[in-house]
Amino acid sequence: MLTGTLPFQAMSASELKRRVMSGRLTLPDGLSAEVRDLIRQMLTLSPEQRIDIPSIRRHPWLLPVAAAPPHATAARPVRAPSNLEALQPEDEPIDPETLRKLAALGLNSDAVVDSVRTQAFNHEAACYQMLRNATMPPPAAGLLTETL
C-alpha cells in the first residue's frame, strides 16, 4: 500500500509461495531505512519475533503521525508522495475488466475510478492496482530483493 506494489512478486503461484515462505520480498528503491525496517519487522516469518501493534505505533517511521493532533490526520485523503510515479496517469484508460471484477466484489465503480484518477491511497485505489497488476509480470528495474 505504501508504494502501490506488492512486497512479494513472482511469475507463478508456486514461486510466490516460495518467496513468501522464505521471506524474499521486493521493495522499490527510494524507501527510507526507517520504513524498510518497519516493513521487515512486520513481515518477519516467525510470529513470535514479528513486531506487535503497540510497537508498530511507536516505530520511528510512524512517530510524526502518532505525534500529530487527531484532527490533523483524520478524514483527510492521503495522496501519493511526490517522489513516486503516478499510479494511473490521467491519459491512461481505466481497465474495464478490472473495474468489472471490482464491481462484482461490491466496490462502487465511480469511487474506484475517482480514487485511481486522483491517486488516492485508499481501499478502492489499492484494490484496483493490486487486481490490475496481479497478471502483469513483476518489474525488473528499480527494485531491490531482500531476504528477511
Side-chain angles (χ1 to χ4, degrees):
M1 301 287 282
L2 180 66
T3 65
T5 62
L6 300 172
F8 298 99
Q9 299 181 11
M11 295 298 287
S12 68
S14 60
E15 174 62 19
L16 180 61
K17 182 178 179 181
R18 277 193 295 277
R19 285 180 175 257
V20 170
M21 297 304 288
S22 70
R24 289 180 47 212
L25 65 135
T26 304
L27 297 173
D29 293 337
L31 294 178
S32 71
E34 287 178 339
V35 77
R36 285 181 179 279
D37 177 64
L38 178 59
I39 292 169
R40 184 187 53 74
Q41 289 185 56
M42 291 171 67
L43 298 178
T44 294
L45 293 176
S46 170
E48 296 82 23
Q49 296 175 355
R50 195 172 299 138
I51 191 170
D52 59 19
I53 298 297
S55 298
I56 290 172
R57 289 182 176 147
R58 290 189 306 271
H59 190 276
W61 188 73
L62 288 175
L63 285 180
V65 175
H71 68 279
T73 57
R76 283 190 333 179
V78 179
R79 301 290 176 222
S82 59
N83 63 337
L84 293 178
E85 291 181 20
L87 297 178
Q88 184 80 14
E90 285 293 328
D91 56 349
E92 186 176 334
I94 298 289
D95 179 46
E97 182 61 18
T98 302
L99 197 58
R100 184 192 64 73
K101 289 177 181 177
L102 291 173
L105 292 170
L107 273 72
N108 178 291
S109 297
D110 292 334
V112 172
V113 170
D114 182 60
S115 294
V116 171
R117 289 284 182 231
T118 61
Q119 300 175 23
F121 274 25
N122 62 15
H123 180 72
E124 290 81 4
C127 288
Y128 176 85
Q129 292 299 331
M130 287 189 291
L131 185 58
R132 183 166 183 266
N133 293 335
T135 57
M136 298 173 67
L143 297 175
L144 299 175
T145 299
E146 300 183 6
T147 301
L148 299 174

